[in-house]
Structure formats: structure tokens, C-alpha cells
DNA sequence: TCTCTGCATCCATCAAGTAC
DNA sequence: GTACTTGATGGATGCAGAGA
């Protein structure tokens, strides 16, 4: 057997079953610990030896169980060992010298392939841990701000309950017939359906209708009961889920901002309730446990909590006493005593803010409920009060902390990104043999990660963003400041190390932070070929427009008449940097113009930031430029000019609008979530 | 160890009526 | 003024697994 066929001998990592799978799972925790200490190599060496002691390489299939009693023998043997090096032994390897060269090669090739699979299995399982949705009890906490607040359950009219319960049986046919007759207008689908539901409901007997009305009342009553129940500690999993789902909408904005400026992990802490697998919110938390499996209270970070509270105190002091003054760097002004956490999940005492009001989870939770019972505010004003104060507080806190830290940009740190794994691949090798065939095994290749790292030697001004030299909008000119780019396209201003200095300079001007990674990546891709001054100016106009948002996106551009290759590109997660295989460029160009007409029909609809915004337009222009022949490129420059002008205009209009509103006024709510389009 | 791809799943959107 | 309800839909995103 050829010695380089290791990869062909690899089994799928899902092939491990039975006692082998059990063995791997038993060692997964140790692997995770080893990764944290960046010492995977010794772990793998010991684990491979342990594996081969239990599951001989001569068992042909990974499903084959070892002979009866073998495992017990191995365990007894291991119990006699005391030194680490002893655990690296594999008794059957002691006979290697008696094997023929051919058999020996087969053995070590087989083992090397299997070990590679085992290594892959560990990595795979480890990489899944933080993202394992089903097993992550805490995910609802972190996701809660991104859902509807659902402040109170609405009463459903009887005919709507009827519509929900009997649509399939008693309404659907009539609706479809009527809808088809009307030409299937999408914008009338629901109105026709409602009409049919009402007609069908009216045709039911009086007794049946009364029963529906009673059911509607009962459902609403039950929903309201559950709604108010959530303000009390409860072991009911439904109540607890609802509780957890709501609280972060109020608390997370504060925690997120603090997290951004302190660099600490700040999250919400929930505990297990007695007697079931549900969880109950206890309080805000600083430490390393939020969203992780194997959550342990010992990881709580009282020092971090103190720092967090100090930052909050600094914010209060700045906003209350020194509204227009520059905030001082926060110092340790208050001492926070962190009470022990209650694992039983019972409510603890609230923490007192220095203004006498409470800043505890319970208070936040009840902000829409009993805590307002005695308030003179009407329900309507309550909501306004809640929204405006939270939004202002969030913005003020950002400004205050930015001033305190001297930071110009905000980077989102709540993402669950993982560090790049750098642990070397490990294979156990035979101890010694002069003709060791393994020495000819290919060396594992490090896979370079192509990130558009910005050069620190940029010659552009020290401003951290394009916008810094573009605002105010009156003086905005996307054509200016082109001195950092190459003059003649590809290869311009190339540095000795092969990188392009003008590109590095441009990248250094882009906004920073996790939420802008996509923009930096795509900017580098789009700018790399440096087609023309106008093209780079267009890209700069794009960045300037995007900076009106926070990098998270505000919706999609119209998809009508959109070239199908955009879908092709999105389906590849926008990761491919090569142009799509467009067979008919003239047709593609015509399609592009049809789409552009759709995009520019409505300026409000055209103003879409983020990955689903003008990035797609720019990418289609790039493909056009890369794939088009001379004749095709006649209209390209005009198209680029049009796109740039549109983006400049959109930026100008929206920038002005936002200044007019004198508020953060991004298309995001107080949680940083894109605001849904309002109903007409 | 990491990237890529196809499939599965999630989620915003739509209109109209109702309640808070 | 706004939350909430319905099912269909299209686009975005997550995930498993193959393969480099």
C-alpha cells in the first residue's frame, strides 16, 4: 500500500460508535481543557496511546468492538501505572521489530490515518460547543433582545380565533377560489382571507359562534395571567422562559455598552430553578460564564463587577453633574459588596443606585408592570417614558464612556467568535526505525488566513474613519483625498513585501470593530484591482454612507430584476472572491440596468446599509468590469458614476435627516436591533 | 485545521382588525 | 400610537459533512 495514502484510509469522523464514541466523549472535556492551556499535543499523544490500548489497529472497522474482557484488562494495567510516560505505552507496539516491513508500513499508515480522524473529531466537537443551539440553555438570554418585546398579549376576536382554528377545514377553499378569481394579488391576500373568514364565521350557528367567543375570552385570560405571573419567581418553565426572554431588552443595552468600553464580558446571569431544567434570571453578571455550557458560579468576577459599576457611576456623574463637560477617567469611587450568588435561583436584594432608585433585575423586569401601578403616567406615556429614557441613557452612556476612554470607534464584543485554532496536528510515530516511512509523510500545511490587515504605516491622516474627513456633509466630496491610492491600477505603489501600500492606507481608514469586519473584507476585495480613481472614489462614498449605520445593516435593496448572479454569490455566503461564470455579459449588463432602475425608483427604499445594501451593487459592477470585453465596458464608467452619485446623495439626505432629529436616530431600536418598518 | 457547499431553518414582511 | 394575530414567501443564516 502506498505510504502517502493516509488520507484515503481516513474514516469519517462520524464513524465512531459504541465504546469508541464513548471513549472519545469521555476525553472531550480534557481536550477542551488542553486547548485552553494551548497544550493539545501532550493530550493527543496520551489519548492516542490510550485509544490503541483499547482498540487495536487490527480491528478493521471503527465499529468493531474489542474482545470481551479486553477493556477490563487494559484498565487493570493502567491502574498499575504511576508515571506520565507509562501512559504513552501501547503494548502491542513492542512487537514492531518482528513485523515485516510491509506489515509495519500498513500498521503505521492505518494508525496515522485513524489518529488524524480522532484529532479531527475532537476539533469538530470542540468547535461545536459554543454554537450548539439545542444544548445551550443560555442562548435564549443572549437572543432575547433580538425578538419582539411582546409587552402584553392581545385579545383575539372570535372570528380570528375561528380563522386560526378552522382555516384548513372551513375557510381555505373559499379563500383560494376567491383569491384566484381576483388574480392572486399579494397585497390583498390577507384582506380576502379575513373577508372569507368573517363570512364563514357568520354562516356558523349562533351556538357555535358563542362557543368561539368564549374560547377567545378564555385564551386571552390565560395569556394575561401568564403575562402578569412573570413578575413573580416561579418554577414554571414557560414563565421562566418568558421572564428570561424579556429582561435583557431592558438590561442588555447598558451591559453591551459597558462591555464595549471595558473589554470585559458582561452578560446576564441566570440560575437553575429547583427541580427542573428551567432557568431563572437572577441578576446582571460580569465574568466568563454567559452563554457557555458548563457554567460555574466560581467564575464570577467581583472585581470586574466593581469596575462595571464604576463605569456606570461615571456615566451618572457625567450626565447629571457635567452634562457638557468632558468626563474624567473613572476612578474607584464606590465600593461594591458582591453578595454570594443564589444557586437556587431565588430573588436577591436589589442594588441601590446612588440616586436612590434601584438598578436591579427585578425592577427592570417590572418596568412595564406593577412597578408603574401607582405611577401617574398613563400607559401610553409610560411606554414613551421608558423608550425615551432608555434610548437617551444608552446614547449618553456611549458618549460618556467614549470620552472617558478616549476612544473614537465602538467595537462590538458580544459576538461569540472563537479564536483561530493554531494547535499543530499530531500523529503518534513509531519510536525508532531507520527506514521510518513516516518521515516521508507530507508536512501539514498551515493555512494562511487572508485578512485585510491594515498597515500601520498608512500615510493618511490619523483619523480613524473616512467620515472623519468627510463631515460635515456640506463639504463632502467623494473624489477628494485620493492621494493614497495608486495611479495606474494594478500593482500601483507596491511595497517590497508584495503588499500594496495605497490599499493598506485605504484599509486603515475604514471603521473598526467586529460589526465592520464584513465591510473591511469586501472593501479590500473590491478595491484591490484599483480600476480607476472614480472606482476608488465610489468605494469611499460607499464607506461614508455605511458609516451612517453601525455596520449591522438596515434591510435589503429591492430584489426585482436583480441579476441572478447576486443570489449565486449570496448562496456562497459572499465568501468567493472570484467572478461568477456569467455566460452572456451583454445580457447581464442589461439586467443590471433594469435592477438599477428598481433600486433607484424610491430613494427611501434605496437607502439600505449593510451586507444586503450597496455591497451587492458594487460587486455586480466588479464582475462587469472583470468579465466584460472592450465593448461591454463602454457603459461601465457611466454606471460607476451613477452609483457613486446616488450613494453620495443618499448619504447627504440621510445625514441631514438624522441631524434634524437630534437623536441617535439610526434605523435601530434601543437594543441595536434594526427597527421594523412601521405599519401604515 | 480549516474552507466550502448544499440543505435546513429562521425570520421579516405583507394587510387589516382589534385592543391596550 | 403601537403591539399583536394570521400563512406564504423570499432572503438570510446556521449547520453538517466532504474535502483540501
Amino acid at each position: 500500500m502506498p505510504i502517502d495514502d493516509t488520507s484515503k484510509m481516513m474514516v469519517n469522523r462520524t464513524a465512531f460508535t459504541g465504546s469508541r464514541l464513548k471513549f472519545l466523549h469521555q476525553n472531550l472535556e480534557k481536550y477542551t481543557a488542553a486547548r485552553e492551556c494551548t497544550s493539545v499535543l501532550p493530550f493527543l499523544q496520551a489519548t492516542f496511546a490510550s485509544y490503541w490500548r483499547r482498540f487495536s489497529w487490527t480491528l478493521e472497522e471503527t465499529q468493531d468492538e474489542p474482545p470481551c474482557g479486553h477493556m477490563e484488562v487494559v484498565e487493570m494495567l493502567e491502574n498499575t501505572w504511576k508515571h506520565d510516560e507509562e501512559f504513552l505505552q501501547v503494548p502491542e507496539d513492542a512487537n514492531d521489530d518482528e513485523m515485516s516491513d510491509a506489515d509495519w508500513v500498513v500498521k503505521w499508515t492505518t494508525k496515522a490515518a485513524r489518529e488524524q480522524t480522532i484529532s479531527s473529531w475532537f476539533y469538530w466537537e470542540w468547535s461545536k460547543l459554543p454554537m450548539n443551539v439545542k444544548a445551550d440553555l443560555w442562548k435564549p438570554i443572549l437572543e432575547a433582545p433580538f425578538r419582539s418585546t411582546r409587552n402584553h398579549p392581545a385579545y383575539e376576536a372570535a372570528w380570528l380565533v375561528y380563522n386560526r382554528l378552522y382555516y384548513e377545514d372551513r375557510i381555505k377553499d373559499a379563500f383560494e377560489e376567491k383569491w384566484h378569481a381576483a388574480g392572486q394579488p399579494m397585497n390583498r391576500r390577507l384582506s380576502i382571507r379575513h373577508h372569507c373568514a368573517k363570512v364563514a364565521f357568520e354562516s356558523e350557528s349562533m351556538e357555535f359562534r358563542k362557543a368561539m367567543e368564549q374560547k377567545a375570552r378564555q385564551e386571552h385570560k390565560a395569556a394575561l395571567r401568564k403575562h402578569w405571573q412573570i413578575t413573580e419567581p416561579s418554577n414554571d418553565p414557560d414563565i421562566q422562559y418568558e421572564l428570561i426572554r424579556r429582561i435583557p431588552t431592558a438590561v442588555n443595552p447598558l451591559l453591551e455598552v459597558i462591555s464595549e468600553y471595558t473589554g470585559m464580558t458582561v452578560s446576564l446571569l441566570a440560575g437553575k430553578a429547583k427541580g427542573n431544567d428551567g432557568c431563572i434570571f437572577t441578576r446582571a453578571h460580569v465574568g466568563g460564564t454567559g452563554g457557555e455550557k458548563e457554567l460555574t458560579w466560581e467564575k464570577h468576577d467581583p472585581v470586574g463587577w466593581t469596575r462595571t459599576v464604576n463605569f456606570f457611576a461615571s456615566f451618572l456623574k457625567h450626565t447629571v453633574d457635567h452634562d457638557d463637560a468632558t468626563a474624567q477617567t473613572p476612578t474607584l469611587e464606590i465600593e461594591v459588596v458582591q453578595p454570594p450568588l443564589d444557586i437556587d435561583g431565588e430573588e436577591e436584594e436589589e442594588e441601590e443606585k446612588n440616586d436612590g432608585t434601584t438598578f436591579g433585575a427585578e425592577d427592570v423586569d417590572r418596568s412595564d408592570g406593577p412597578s408603574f401601578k401607582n405611577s401617574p403616567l398613563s400607559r401610553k406615556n409610560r411606554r414613551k417614558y421608558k423608550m425615551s429614557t432608555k434610548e437617551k441613557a444608552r446614547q449618553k452612556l456611549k458618549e460618556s464612556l467614549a470620552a472617558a476612554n478616549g476612544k473614537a470607534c465602538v467595537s462590538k464584543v458580544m459576538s461569540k467568535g472563537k479564536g483561530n485554532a493554531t494547535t499543530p496536528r499530531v500523529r503518534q510515530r513509531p519510536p525508532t526505525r531507520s527506514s521510518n516511512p513516516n518521515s516521508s509523510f507530507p508536512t501539514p500545511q498551515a493555512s494562511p488566513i487572508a485578512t485585510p490587515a491594515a498597515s500601520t504605516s498608512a500615510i493618511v491622516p490619523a483619523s480613524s474613519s473616512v467620515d472623519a474627513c468627510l463631515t460635515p456633509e456640506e463639504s463632502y466630496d467623494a473624489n477628494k483625498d485620493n492621494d493614497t491610492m495608486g495611479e495606474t491600477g494594478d500593482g500601483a505603489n507596491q511595497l517590497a513585501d508584495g503588499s500594496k501600500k495605497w490599499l493598506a492606507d485605504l484599509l486603515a481608514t475604514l471603521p473598526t470593530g467586529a460589526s465592520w469586519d464584513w465591510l473591511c473584507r469586501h472593501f479590500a476585495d473590491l478595491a484591490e484591482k484599483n480600476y480607476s480613481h472614480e472606482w476608488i472614489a465610489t468605494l469611499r462614498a460607499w464607506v461614508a454612507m455605511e458609516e451612517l449605520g453601525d455596520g449591522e445593516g438596515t434591510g435589503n435593496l429591492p430584489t426585482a430584476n436583480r441579476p441572478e448572479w447576486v443570489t449565486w454569490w449570496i448562496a456562497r455566503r459572499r465568501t468567493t472572491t472570484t467572478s461568477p461564470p456569467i455566460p452572456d455579459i451583454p445580457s447581464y449588463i442589461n439586467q443590471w440596468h433594469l435592477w438599477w432602475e428598481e433600486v433607484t425608483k424610491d430613494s427611501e427604499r434605496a437607502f439600505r446599509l449593510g451586507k444586503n445594501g450597496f455591497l451587492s451593487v458594487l460587486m455586480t459592477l466588479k464582475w462587469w468590469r472583470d468579465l466584460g470585453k472592450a465593448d461591454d465596458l463602454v457603459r461601465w464608467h457611466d454606471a460607476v458614476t451613477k452609483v457613486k452619485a446616488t450613494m453620495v446623495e443618499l448619504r447627504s439626505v440621510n445625514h441631514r435627516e438624522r441631524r434634524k432629529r437630534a437623536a441617535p436616530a439610526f434605523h435601530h431600536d434601543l437594543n441595536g436591533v434594526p427597527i421594523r418598518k412601521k405599519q401604515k
Side-chain angles (χ1 to χ4, degrees), chain A residues 519-535:
Chain A
L519 183 136
C520 296
R521 193 172 63 251
H522 290 300
F523 187 97
D525 180 33
L526 290 164
E528 192 185 10
K529 290 193 180 172
N530 191 5
Y531 303 127
S532 65
H533 277 295
E534 183 73 3
W535 174 249

Side-chain angles (χ1 to χ4, degrees), chain A residues 433-569:
Chain A
R433 195 155 201 174
S434 56
S435 61
N436 183 355
N438 285 340
S439 62
S440 64
F441 279 5
T443 308
Q445 298 294 314
S447 48
I449 302 169
T451 52
S455 165
T456 54
S457 62
I459 60 171
V460 292
S463 62
S464 59
S465 71
V466 175
D467 211 15
C469 57
L470 295 179
T471 51
E473 78 283 4
E474 290 80 8
S475 61
Y476 170 60
D477 178 5
N479 286 308
K480 77 174 185 180
D481 265 338
N482 279 351
D483 55 344
T484 60
M485 56 173 273
E487 292 289 327
T488 54
D490 266 344
N493 205 3
Q494 188 150 321
L495 297 176
D497 63 0
S499 63
K500 295 167 182 172
K501 187 171 185 306
W502 64 268
L503 182 57
D505 293 340
L506 272 177
L507 292 173
T509 68
L510 300 182
T512 56
S515 59
W516 294 103
D517 283 351
W518 66 272
L519 183 136
C520 296
R521 193 172 63 251
H522 290 300
F523 187 97
D525 180 33
L526 290 164
E528 192 185 10
K529 290 193 180 172
N530 191 5
Y531 303 127
S532 65
H533 277 295
E534 183 73 3
W535 174 249
I536 297 297
T538 304
L539 297 182
R540 291 167 63 83
W542 171 55
V543 173
M545 185 179 75
E546 289 291 344
E547 283 188 311
L548 291 180
D550 58 3
E552 296 289 352
T554 60
N556 312 325
L557 284 177
T559 55
N561 290 328
R562 193 176 71 180
E564 60 181 319
W565 296 103
V566 176
T567 310
W568 174 91
W569 181 57

Side-chain angles (χ1 to χ4, degrees), chain A residues 43 90 145 376 457 519 589 668:
Chain A
F43 163 81
V90 181
S457 62
L519 183 136
I589 293 170
H668 292 76

Side-chain angles (χ1 to χ4, degrees), chain A residues 616-654:
Chain A
S616 303
V617 176
L618 294 170
M619 196 51 72
T620 53
L621 284 172
K622 178 176 182 284
W623 298 334
W624 180 353
R625 178 65 174 73
D626 284 343
L627 301 173
K629 297 192 175 77
D631 291 342
D632 302 324
L633 298 179
V634 172
R635 297 163 73 192
W636 186 80
H637 296 285
D638 288 340
V640 170
T641 304
K642 272 194 289 190
V643 170
K644 188 187 85 176
T646 301
M647 290 192 296
V648 169
E649 179 65 17
L650 285 172
R651 179 188 179 279
S652 176
V653 169
N654 287 281

Side-chain angles (χ1 to χ4, degrees), chain A residues 245-316:
Chain A
R245 199 169 67 80
R246 292 178 188 212
I247 288 174
T249 60
V251 181
N252 256 9
L254 166 69
L255 301 185
E256 191 177 323
V257 172
I258 291 175
S259 177
E260 285 169 359
Y261 285 93
T262 63
M264 297 184 296
T265 301
V266 184
S267 60
L268 295 174
L269 176 64
K272 283 184 180 173
K274 284 176 183 172
N276 60 34
D277 291 325
C279 45
I280 187 168
F281 178 83
T282 54
R283 60 176 57 246
H285 171 71
V286 180
T289 61
E292 300 289 337
K293 288 179 73 179
E294 308 294 337
L295 190 146
T296 55
W297 306 124
E298 287 75 16
K299 285 185 179 176
H300 187 74
D301 175 12
V303 176
W305 177 253
T306 304
R307 284 186 64 203
T308 300
V309 175
N310 278 331
F311 268 87
F312 186 64
S314 168
F315 155 69
L316 287 178

